[in-house]
């Protein structure tokens, strides 16, 4: 009987959490532009940007492997602004990705 009650409680808690997240999404206004989904880089797709980053990133400056997450804004002229490194394995990796992003052509 205790197992059934625990299972029912767990399902109720899961439903409550899902309902709260759904409510939050319904109250959020999503704004997008056509370019947000089809970015261009040097006349090509976003894959050309990834190639640029891999080509310019100096992996010898990084001693730890790990995941890096960076956030930035591209203005109307194509300049990268407001670079933020949100997750990184070590400071030298964060510094290197900032260097590469600042070097990026429009």
């Amino acid at each position: 009987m205790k197992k059934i009650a625990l299972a029912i409680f767990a399902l109720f808690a899961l439903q409550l959490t899902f309902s709260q997240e759904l409510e939050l999404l319904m109250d959020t206004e999503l704004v997008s532009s056509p370019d947000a989904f089809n970015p261009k880089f040097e006349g090509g797709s976003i894959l050309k940007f990834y190639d640029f980053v891999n080509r310019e990133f100096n992996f010898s400056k990084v001693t730890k492997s790990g995941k890096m997450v960076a956030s930035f804004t591209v203005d109307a002229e194509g300049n990268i602004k407001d670079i933020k490194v949100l997750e990184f394995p070590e400071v030298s990796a964060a510094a290197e990705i900032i260097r590469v992003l600042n070097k990026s052509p429009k």
Side-chain angles (χ1 to χ4, degrees), residues 41 46-59 68 96-97 99-101:
F41 183 77
I46 191 70
L47 296 176
K48 285 191 89 171
F49 177 71
Y50 295 148
D51 288 340
F52 166 79
V53 171
N54 281 322
R55 202 174 48 249
E56 295 297 322
F57 193 91
N58 186 348
F59 290 93
M68 272 201 309
E96 183 61 10
I97 195 64
R99 182 193 70 78
V100 170
L101 291 173

Side-chain angles (χ1 to χ4, degrees), residues 14-69:
L14 182 64
Q15 175 63 29
L16 182 62
T17 302
F18 179 72
S19 296
Q20 289 171 342
E21 289 176 4
L22 187 58
E23 244 179 71
L24 180 64
L25 283 175
M26 290 174 67
D27 291 339
T28 304
E29 180 183 355
L30 300 175
V31 180
S32 64
S33 71
D35 292 336
F37 299 106
N38 297 310
K40 303 285 185 234
F41 183 77
E42 295 184 336
S45 72
I46 191 70
L47 296 176
K48 285 191 89 171
F49 177 71
Y50 295 148
D51 288 340
F52 166 79
V53 171
N54 281 322
R55 202 174 48 249
E56 295 297 322
F57 193 91
N58 186 348
F59 290 93
S60 68
K61 292 186 176 184
V62 181
T63 60
K64 277 182 161 177
S65 65
K67 181 171 129 179
M68 272 201 309
V69 178

